Amino acid sequence: MSTTHIPPITEEDIANFLTNTPGFFERHAEVLASVQITSPHGHRAVSLQERQAEMLREKIKGLEHRIMDMVRNSNDNTAIAAKVHQWTSALLRVKDPFDLPEAVVSGIRTLFDVPQATVRVWTVAGPYIDADFTQGASEDARAFASSLTMPFCGPNLGFEPAGWLAQDAGGEPAQSLALLPLREGAIDSATPAFGLLVLGSPDPQRFDATMGTEFLSRIAELASAALVRLK
């Protein structure tokens, strides 16, 4: 005579039963009242209702932290937007295009707390051909700038533009860089770059490869709109 093997009831079976049978504890209220579990705070025995209340308080606390992070980020974004507005307004007030490159980099250093910044432009109009901001960009550097479809952020690996920073900053090497191509139109277009905005810092983590680049892309587009007057 064969016997039918009945698999043992698992905790998952019990959990599924209770989840799918909401009336169980209504019919067996004494079971609910007698359940005692260990609290993670002090390892004391508490009722199921008390543990649920603790879990709810923890969830509320987590939501409060998220709200505070959102408020903090909102305040940070508001401050950044105000600085971008101030920087853009200063660029619009520059009358002589020859003064634009210095206005771009000095504003970035001052308003955005960037220790080092410089810019190089090429294919400029006749009056600006011999200006300092047009010198030193090799064909390789120009091709590299045109190949960028978004700002590059990362460690200083000996890129040629890092040498421009060292030259303008008195020889102090940057440990991390942000390289922002300048071009007419959107930064991710196929239009060749007419310049490169270089940001640097002695802090290796300031311009990390994992950081978001949306803000830097906006900076590149605004700088491009200003510096295109040199072409």
Side-chain angles (χ1 to χ4, degrees):
M1 180 177 181
S2 62
T3 58
T4 303
H5 176 70
I6 300 177
I9 297 176
T10 65
E11 291 184 357
E12 184 178 355
D13 294 330
I14 298 173
N16 289 334
F17 171 77
L18 294 176
T19 300
N20 296 318
T21 315
F24 175 82
F25 287 116
E26 295 178 3
R27 296 190 298 273
H28 301 278
E30 72 286 354
V31 175
L32 180 62
S34 64
V35 172
Q36 296 287 313
I37 58 179
T38 301
S39 170
H41 308 292
H43 302 290
R44 60 188 178 86
V46 297
S47 67
L48 183 60
Q49 294 96 325
E50 186 174 352
R51 178 65 184 120
Q52 288 176 321
E54 288 180 353
M55 293 174 64
L56 183 58
R57 284 193 293 269
E58 291 169 358
K59 185 175 182 179
I60 292 173
K61 185 180 295 184
L63 291 173
E64 288 175 345
H65 287 313
R66 290 182 60 186
I67 291 173
M68 291 303 297
D69 287 340
M70 292 172 63
V71 171
R72 192 178 302 110
N73 290 336
S74 175
N75 291 337
D76 290 345
N77 289 338
T78 299
I80 290 174
K83 291 179 179 180
V84 170
H85 176 78
Q86 184 178 347
W87 179 63
T88 306
S89 297
L91 296 180
L92 291 173
R93 289 194 294 269
V94 175
K95 296 180 179 180
D96 188 346
F98 189 91
D99 297 326
L100 280 169
E102 177 58 26
V104 167
V105 297
S106 63
I108 288 175
R109 292 192 201 105
T110 303
L111 293 172
F112 303 112
D113 300 320
V114 176
Q116 300 173 352
T118 192
V119 66
R120 294 292 186 274
V121 292
W122 42 88
T123 64
V124 296
Y128 316 111
I129 289 178
D130 296 324
D132 291 342
F133 52 76
T134 67
Q135 305 301 309
S138 68
E139 289 299 325
D140 286 343
R142 299 181 185 194
F144 173 70
S146 293
S147 72
L148 294 174
T149 57
M150 61 186 296
F152 166 87
C153 296
N156 181 0
L157 300 177
F159 295 111
E160 178 184 321
W164 308 342
L165 277 179
Q167 177 182 334
D168 293 358
E172 182 181 359
Q175 298 301 313
S176 61
L177 299 171
L179 307 177
L180 286 60
L182 305 176
R183 53 170 49 95
E184 297 182 71
I187 191 174
D188 58 352
S189 71
T191 305
F194 68 85
L196 189 67
L197 179 59
V198 187
L199 313 181
S201 173
D203 179 1
Q205 303 302 319
R206 177 64 186 274
F207 299 110
D208 185 81
T210 61
M211 69 183 297
T213 59
E214 182 176 354
F215 169 68
L216 293 175
S217 294
R218 302 291 82 78
I219 292 295
E221 291 176 2
L222 291 169
S224 297
L227 296 172
V228 74
R229 292 171 60 190
L230 298 170
K231 288 175 64 67

